[in-house]
């Protein structure tokens, strides 16, 4: 398993599954952009603050392949844009296909 982060700017749609700190975000779809990606996570710019521990469903279209993943916000910051670090859940529907993409060295 490679843990390298690869700079990659792509659109991502995030569906908030659960958010203990702000239940008003639940069942909300948020458009964002990836900043970088790895086999186990990604940094996204979302334009709004996603609290730590928020669970999201992710839909990403990379290189003509749709990936359906789930993740959890592990950290956030606001350095001009709201960014969040997401850990990808290995039980996600397309997790295996996602990890195989990194064997091709993007």
């Amino acid at each position: 398993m490679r843990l390298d982060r690869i700079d990659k700017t792509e659109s991502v749609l995030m569906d908030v599954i659960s958010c203990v700190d702000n239940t008003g975000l639940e069942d909300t779809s948020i458009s964002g952009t990836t900043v970088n990606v790895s086999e186990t996570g990604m940094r996204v710019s979302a334009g709004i603050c996603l609290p730590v521990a928020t669970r999201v469903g992710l839909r990403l279209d990379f290189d003509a392949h749709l990936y359906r993943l789930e993740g959890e916000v592990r950290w956030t910051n606001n350095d001009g844009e709201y960014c969040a670090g997401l850990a990808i859940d290995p039980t996600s529907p397309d997790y295996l296909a996602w990890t195989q993409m990194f064997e091709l060295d993007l």
Side-chain angles (χ1 to χ4, degrees), residues 65-100:
H65 185 92
L66 178 65
Y67 296 96
R68 294 165 299 128
L69 304 167
E70 289 189 11
E72 182 175 314
V73 176
R74 295 297 174 97
W75 58 264
T76 62
N77 71 10
N78 181 5
D79 54 3
E81 295 183 45
Y82 289 105
C83 287
L86 303 176
I88 298 172
D89 185 337
T91 64
S92 298
D94 292 326
Y95 184 74
L96 182 58
W98 175 260
T99 60
Q100 289 172 343

Side-chain angles (χ1 to χ4, degrees):
M1 176 191 321
R2 290 182 42 204
L3 297 178
D4 300 350
R5 294 219 170 261
I6 299 166
D7 292 338
K8 191 157 179 76
T9 304
E10 299 286 344
S11 295
V12 59
L13 183 61
M14 297 174 281
D15 296 317
V16 179
I17 297 168
S18 66
C19 181
V20 175
D21 289 345
N22 184 352
T23 56
L25 285 177
E26 293 178 359
D27 297 321
T28 300
S29 293
I30 301 165
S31 293
T33 305
T34 61
V35 176
N36 60 46
V37 297
S38 73
E39 287 184 52
T40 59
M42 66 186 70
R43 179 179 179 165
V44 298
S45 174
I48 69 167
C49 182
L50 293 170
V52 171
T54 299
R55 298 239 353 128
V56 293
L58 304 163
R59 285 180 276 169
L60 305 107
D61 190 358
F62 282 8
D63 303 321
H65 185 92
L66 178 65
Y67 296 96
R68 294 165 299 128
L69 304 167
E70 289 189 11
E72 182 175 314
V73 176
R74 295 297 174 97
W75 58 264
T76 62
N77 71 10
N78 181 5
D79 54 3
E81 295 183 45
Y82 289 105
C83 287
L86 303 176
I88 298 172
D89 185 337
T91 64
S92 298
D94 292 326
Y95 184 74
L96 182 58
W98 175 260
T99 60
Q100 289 172 343
M101 175 178 64
F102 291 87
E103 294 172 9
L104 302 174
D105 291 326
L106 292 177

